[in-house]
Amino acid sequence: MRQFDLAPLYRSTVGFDRLFSALDQFVSAESAPTYPPYNIERTGETAYRITVAVAGFTDQDLSIEVRENALTIKGERKAAETRKGEFLHQGIAARSFERRFQLADHVQVTGAALENGLLHVDLVREIPEAKKPRQIQIATGDAPRSIEGSVQQAA
């Protein structure tokens, strides 16, 4: 396993912090956690769903936080309730976890649901009107120039 130190690059550049953070995460991806397993699916043109397998966790054991462009899902089991017997085999993992997802710009979390041991987190990408492409009409000869969109005229 190779270790790359990107700290000197941080000192010599301005405005590229996000790029170097992405590179740093990519380099450390080899040691990324694999628990709990998850799926990412597209459910519509601008809608997505992250499904995380959280068998044995309740909604009180889970927390979902969005900060800047990062979605963090944490799971921590509360103190185990008293059981009458003892486990001969315990194959269902109930260890604490923290799973992070880097969200693209303009992606918002719209909801979350826990069903049958699966945590579903719904996302939607909402591009602001100012960022959407617009059509610009080309003027020829004496034709007035116009830009498609809504224009308010002064009275």
Side-chain angles (χ1 to χ4, degrees), residues 11-46:
R11 289 191 300 267
S12 63
T13 60
V14 176
F16 292 96
D17 297 340
R18 188 170 177 188
L19 172 68
F20 291 124
S21 294
L23 283 172
D24 201 20
Q25 288 175 356
F26 178 73
V27 169
S28 64
E30 295 172 2
S31 63
T34 59
Y35 175 80
Y38 66 93
N39 293 336
I40 300 176
E41 61 183 309
R42 174 179 270 172
T43 58
E45 175 119 1
T46 60

Side-chain angles (χ1 to χ4, degrees), residues 2 7 11 17 22 26 34 38-39 60 66 68 71 81 83 87 90-91 96 102-103 125 127 130 132 134 136-137 150:
R2 295 181 176 178
R11 289 191 300 267
D17 297 340
F26 178 73
T34 59
Y38 66 93
N39 293 336
Q60 288 86 22
V66 178
E68 295 174 7
L71 168 69
E81 59 274 359
R83 300 183 189 272
F87 286 110
Q90 186 173 4
S96 298
Q102 193 68 31
L103 301 178
R125 185 169 190 215
I127 300 174
K132 289 183 180 177
R134 58 188 177 133
I136 300 175
Q137 196 172 25
S150 62

Side-chain angles (χ1 to χ4, degrees), residues 136-148:
I136 300 175
Q137 196 172 25
I138 301 173
T140 57
D142 294 335
R145 297 180 182 194
S146 66
I147 297 176
E148 188 178 307

